[in-house]
Amino acid sequence: MPQEPSAPTQNPTLLAWVREVAAHTQPDRIVWCDGSQEEADRVTAEMLADGTLIALNAEKNPNSYLHRSHKSDVARTEHLTFICTETALACGPTNNWKSPADARKDVWPWFEGAMRGRTMYVVPYIMGPTTSPYSRPGVEITDSAYVVANMRIMTRMGKVALERIGDSADFVRGLHSLGDLSPDRRAICHFPQDRLIWSVGSGYGGNALLGKKCHALRIASAQGRDEGWMAEHMLILGLESPEGDITYMGAAFPSACGKTNLAMMVAPLTQQGWRVWTVGDDIAWMHIGEDGQLWAVNPEAGFFGVAPGTSLRTNPNAIRTIEKNAIFTNVALADDNSVWWEGLGDPPAHLVDWKGDDWTPASTAPAAHPNSRFTVAAAQCPQASPRMEDPRGVPISAILFGGRRARVAPLVFEARSWQHGVYVGATVASETTAAATGAVGVVRRDPMAMRPFCGYNMGDYFSHWLKMGTKLTKPPKVFHVNWFRKGADGKFLWPGYGDNLRVLRWVRGRVRGEAKARETAIGFVPEHGELDLTGLEGVDVDDLLAVDNAEWRSEIAGQREFFAEFGGTVPAELSLELEGVAARLG
Ligand code: OXD
Ligand code: MN
């Protein structure tokens, strides 16, 4: 056992847990993180010395670093992610279940002695604006310095969090060890009833930065159910009109489907006077305000964004955000020590790829891993909303659900009511992406984009959504969008990116009772001429907004099958909405 350093807290629950973990994992030393600059400099220097980080070009990427992960540890591993409730029913069919007893038997031994020869960092953090009553603290214990550096960017970390926790036992405990990085001894276990997380065998962001998916979504979704709020996989943005009013919206899209791009969008030239303010790009915690509206805070303090495809054309704000103080993971390295990834622009004649091998434009494999990432402070975003730190959050007038669908889903449609909107969210389907291991491009149901992130039975989660609606006197309007629809020639029908602003404008118009819509079997689509298409050539808006009854009838059959998987936990209201659409389709 290492000598216990004088801990910067007297919190008995925290001290007892740290002692228990240290006794089991046997680190060489324990470091309590305070979040100071000296600490960050020291941890960075250690990672530069042991090769965990590579310093980037000081002029092109000041104070920025490249990290190359283990080659088998590049994405979330959903098949190794478990919800450890007492019963399988509480976990539900969309999650992997492990009983707490089995987790103790199978996974706890992998932590035994796992930190021998390593430093154990104790990382207190807050999810949400520091002074917000809607924020929640946690403590992550980890043996990865890379995790410490990322948590420092992604959360409010260190002294400030320890102060917030004080002597309370009310904080989420997350234990993380790299273990031996073997996929055979990798598991990410969540114990929602104990507000506890165990993650072993992976250093990848979503598996290892426990404040993000594990706490702010899986544990928080269960906490929100118990306490009457919601933890959602949503970006939050504010759309400012030329008149200066701002409409706040939340949007839930599956991983790597453009939440960061939409949250940071820049208006195209033809849409002068409109602008988007970024409040968050991945997670929203939403509560019911005294005014009966839904309010949202972004629990995160940074962005952990997908690099490939990010460019001055697709997301100029992201490019400006990552100009300095960024950590890049699994991107390619240029000869001048700057970074490159597919979609950034023309590749240089030579690169070192994400695996550390030489790469030229003639190489067939991508230079950057398709799920390579940047980690950067949200405050560096040129369009960061001044309300990002507002302890109350922002009032949400519209919720957008969306997926990546080559066919079926039109560019945009509006749900008929909150209840119908919950059904629309519950039946979202999307083609899988590189953000998780497994096949890419397979259509799967991803309710509310939360399938990999809901900490309890999704049937009960749908009921929670319905219940929240009954408490809202002014519920947000609900929409479904699909930027990825393709024509018969296999080409995208919609330019996407900045032009998505045109759709957001129609959404704002609907919220304000100004824009016109046409009713279809699945909901309301923009009336002809209601989408501002100025300056867009060759866009077949009729094809984009078409609702093909035959396609939708087979979609409905798929939805029925999906609901049947829940064995009766899907609320009757949603089946009623489903049958309503089926009847309208004829
Ligand atoms: C993410 C994800 O990293 O959804 O945000 O995978
Ligand atoms: Mn995400």
Side-chain angles (χ1 to χ4, degrees):
M1 258 294 278
Q3 283 285 17
E4 189 169 306
S6 53
T9 176
Q10 304 289 318
N11 184 313
T13 317
L14 179 51
L15 286 175
W17 178 55
V18 168
R19 259 184 226 126
E20 181 203 349
V21 169
H24 189 57
T25 59
Q26 296 170 25
D28 277 12
R29 57 183 192 128
I30 301 173
V31 170
W32 288 76
C33 293
D34 60 12
S36 65
Q37 191 56 49
E38 296 91 79
E39 174 179 276
D41 293 345
R42 197 180 60 241
V43 173
T44 303
E46 282 166 15
M47 285 192 284
L48 286 170
D50 73 10
T52 304
L53 293 184
I54 297 169
L56 294 173
N57 186 309
E59 266 161 41
K60 290 191 174 168
N61 303 95
N63 191 34
S64 297
Y65 303 92
L66 167 66
H67 169 73
R68 292 197 189 108
S69 78
H70 191 277
K71 293 181 190 55
S72 72
D73 187 28
V74 290
R76 283 182 295 98
T77 39
E78 293 181 4
H79 62 296
L80 301 175
T81 300
F82 300 93
I83 302 297
C84 305
T85 43
E86 286 298 340
T87 66
L89 184 65
C91 163
T94 54
N95 285 316
N96 302 308
W97 179 64
K98 211 182 239 310
S99 73
D102 280 348
R104 229 163 223 293
K105 182 164 61 65
D106 301 344
V107 179
W108 184 241
W110 295 342
F111 285 103
E112 193 179 340
M115 297 193 189
R116 250 177 241 146
R118 298 183 187 167
T119 301
M120 177 174 120
Y121 299 94
V122 183
V123 186
Y125 62 88
I126 302 174
M127 300 311 292
T130 306
T131 59
S132 171
Y134 307 108
S135 299
R136 293 288 185 276
V139 178
E140 173 165 0
I141 294 179
T142 178
D143 56 9
S144 160
Y146 166 81
V147 165
V148 174
N150 278 270
M151 285 292 281
R152 186 183 151 79
I153 297 174
M154 296 302 295
T155 72
R156 286 88 175 163
M157 182 268 246
K159 194 161 172 279
V160 68
L162 215 49
E163 279 166 10
R164 166 97 185 222
I165 294 169
D167 277 342
S168 164
D170 190 10
F171 61 91
V172 171
R173 290 171 298 155
L175 168 57
H176 169 252
S177 172
L178 294 170
D180 61 8
L181 284 179
S182 161
D184 295 336
R185 280 172 297 282
R186 181 177 298 165
I188 300 99
C189 296
H190 305 74
F191 307 78
Q193 60 285 10
D194 301 322
R195 314 286 190 237
L196 174 70
I197 305 152
W198 289 347
S199 169
V200 60
S202 168
Y204 171 73
N207 293 337
L209 312 178
L210 302 186
K212 192 174 178 63
K213 302 301 185 182
C214 302
H215 176 165
L217 287 175
R218 298 194 191 97
I219 299 290
S221 59
Q223 205 167 2
R225 169 203 56 190
D226 299 344
E227 298 172 2
W229 52 281
M230 304 163 96
E232 298 299 331
H233 193 202
M234 285 186 191
L235 68 89
I236 311 165
L237 64 78
L239 175 65
E240 182 172 338
S241 76
E243 292 80 49
D245 58 85
I246 304 182
T247 308
Y248 292 97
M249 309 178 186
F253 311 151
S255 309
C257 287
K259 286 199 297 301
T260 306
N261 289 343
L262 190 68
M264 294 188 190
M265 174 210 286
V266 175
L269 285 177
T270 55
Q271 307 285 311
Q272 285 305 298
W274 293 89
R275 67 180 300 177
V276 164
W277 293 103
T278 312
V279 183
D281 81 325
D282 195 42
I283 303 180
W285 282 1
M286 304 198 287
H287 57 275
I288 300 171
E290 277 164 17
D291 58 359
Q293 290 195 79
L294 198 58
W295 288 68
V297 296
N298 171 13
E300 301 191 279
F303 305 125
F304 180 65
V306 179
T310 307
S311 70
L312 276 174
R313 183 181 70 80
T314 60
N315 193 340
N317 265 322
I319 296 291
R320 279 174 211 125
T321 307
I322 58 182
E323 265 167 5
K324 54 183 187 223
N325 310 322
I327 300 173
F328 295 91
T329 303
N330 290 339
V331 301
L333 185 66
D335 291 348
D336 67 354
N337 267 17
S338 63
V339 286
W340 190 87
W341 47 78
E342 279 67 21
L344 181 62
D346 292 337
H350 175 259
L351 289 164
V352 177
D353 71 11
W354 70 276
K355 295 179 174 165
D357 298 329
D358 286 320
W359 186 96
T360 70
S363 304
T364 47
H369 187 276
N371 191 37
S372 53
R373 299 276 179 150
F374 53 77
T375 318
V376 71
Q380 284 188 194
C381 177
Q383 286 181 196
S385 163
R387 307 228 1 218
M388 212 176 233
E389 292 293 330
D390 190 329
R392 288 169 309 159
V394 294
I396 299 293
S397 306
I399 287 178
L400 277 56
F401 292 118
R404 193 183 273 273
R405 297 291 304 262
R407 297 297 313 158
V408 188
L411 176 65
V412 58
F413 68 93
E414 180 190 328
R416 304 158 70 89
S417 63
W418 177 265
Q419 178 168 303
H420 181 233
V422 176
Y423 151 77
V424 169
T427 51
V428 164
S430 192
E431 292 151 23
T432 50
T433 67
T437 54
V440 168
V442 181
V443 174
R444 73 162 180 178
R445 298 275 154 211
D446 191 349
M448 282 83 173
M450 279 288 278
R451 183 183 185 120
F453 307 119
C454 185
Y456 60 105
N457 189 318
M458 280 202 117
D460 299 334
Y461 165 80
F462 302 151
S463 299
H464 183 53
W465 265 81
L466 291 173
K467 203 158 123 202
M468 290 291 289
T470 61
K471 294 192 203 148
L472 290 164
T473 49
K474 284 184 252 165
K477 279 184 175 276
V478 181
F479 299 80
H480 186 286
V481 297
N482 177 22
W483 318 132
F484 301 94
R485 187 156 165 149
K486 290 181 177 169
D489 58 1
K491 295 209 175 107
F492 288 114
L493 288 169
W494 180 246
Y497 303 113
D499 287 305
N500 293 337
L501 185 108
R502 302 166 192 268
V503 175
L504 299 188
R505 281 184 54 192
W506 181 74
V507 166
R508 169 183 172 272
R510 292 299 291 167
V511 165
R512 296 164 67 90
E514 292 167 6
K516 293 197 196 68
R518 170 167 63 83
E519 189 168 1
T520 75
I522 61 165
F524 300 95
V525 298
E527 185 61 274
H528 289 288
E530 284 292 298
L531 280 180
D532 179 354
L533 300 177
T534 321
L536 273 189
E537 264 154 44
V539 167
D540 184 346
V541 77
D542 291 334
D543 198 359
L544 267 166
L545 294 176
V547 176
D548 180 310
N549 277 23
E551 275 179 357
W552 272 93
R553 271 194 288 272
S554 84
E555 173 70 13
I556 289 285
Q559 295 178 3
R560 271 201 202 101
E561 272 171 36
F562 179 59
F563 279 181
E565 283 175 33
F566 287 82
T569 55
V570 172
E573 289 90 332
L574 298 196
S575 303
L576 212 69
E577 292 293 344
L578 187 153
E579 295 313 328
V581 178
R584 287 192 293 279
L585 285 166

